[in-house]
Amino acid sequence: QSALTQPPSASGSPGQSVTISCTGTSSDVGGYNYVSWYQQYPGKAPKLMICEVTKRPSGVPDRFSGSKSGNTASLTVSGLQAEDEADYYCSSYAGSNNWVFGGGTKLTVL
Amino acid sequence: QVQLVESGGGVVQPGRSLRLSCAASGFTFSTYGMHWVRQAPGKGLEWVAVIWSDGNNKFYSDSVKGRFTVSRDNSKNTLDLQMNSLGAEDTAIYYCARETGPYNGFDVWGQGTMVTVSS
């Protein structure tokens, strides 16, 4: 149950696009289309932003999109806004009723 | 509205036990798998345990297997986590979370309850 690999930090200016990667293995990210992304503000609970690799729950802006290629999933935030500054975590089903999270990426809006 | 509220956190000595609870409201609790996820201070999220909707199947991360037990009471809409043999590494905010669907992400989270293991 090794954690998924995310870059510790990412940044972009308002209006720009930023992509955060999440690398796993064929036993988790590459093996299932059950990758999720969460946004977390300091002191708050995580919020689901993307599920099943590409699906946006109701209420999540369409500026947020997800994709996957092989063992790497990605979250893209387009048209960056100040309120997008937060920590982002990926998660994947890892088989045998286990789930694994990434280490998290701190997104800074410059 | 759909809501999860955790309780039971606190300061506990190493080797002791603690029981967390999560009260669900606003949705049909008995039809959802439920999870516990924790976050050590300043660290990332860590999946802890899942219990299927009917309560008959339970699974744990390697880090808590044999020490933690998840349970649920669908008649009371409650989820519990019994934590035994606690160590400093268990110090974290513990969140209960609802699974959107089998093997899928977690769409509803509680506010979390802090567990501190310290002598």
Side-chain angles (χ1 to χ4, degrees), chain A residues 25-110:
Chain A
T25 70
S26 58
S27 296
D28 38 62
V29 173
Y32 305 93
N33 287 323
Y34 289 122
V35 175
S36 305
W37 289 91
Y38 303 87
Q39 177 190 65
Q40 187 180 36
Y41 293 115
K44 300 296 186 181
K47 174 187 176 183
L48 179 66
M49 304 300 285
I50 296 288
C51 62
E52 293 182 62
V53 181
T54 61
K55 297 182 180 179
R56 260 188 329 273
S58 175
V60 174
D62 60 7
R63 303 183 293 102
F64 291 85
S65 62
S67 63
K68 189 183 83 167
S69 177
N71 297 336
T72 299
S74 298
L75 173 72
T76 298
V77 186
S78 306
L80 267 176
Q81 299 183 5
E83 61 262 34
D84 299 332
E85 185 162 297
D87 293 328
Y88 291 84
Y89 294 91
C90 62
S91 174
S92 175
Y93 179 64
S96 301
N97 280 279
N98 283 281
W99 282 256
V100 62
F101 282 93
T105 297
K106 181 177 180 61
L107 176 60
T108 301
V109 180
L110 302 171

Side-chain angles (χ1 to χ4, degrees), chain B residues 63-112:
Chain B
S63 60
V64 308
K65 197 174 298 182
R67 300 187 299 121
F68 289 13
T69 301
V70 60
S71 60
R72 65 190 295 163
D73 186 335
N74 286 343
S75 68
K76 297 181 179 178
N77 293 344
T78 58
L79 172 74
D80 288 338
L81 184 68
Q82 176 66 41
M83 304 184 296
N84 299 332
S85 302
L86 286 163
E89 69 277 10
D90 298 313
T91 294
I93 298 172
Y94 285 75
Y95 295 99
C96 60
R98 186 182 83 171
E99 188 178 279
T100 60
Y103 314 119
N104 216 326
F106 316 124
D107 64 342
V108 181
W109 295 68
Q111 85 287 354

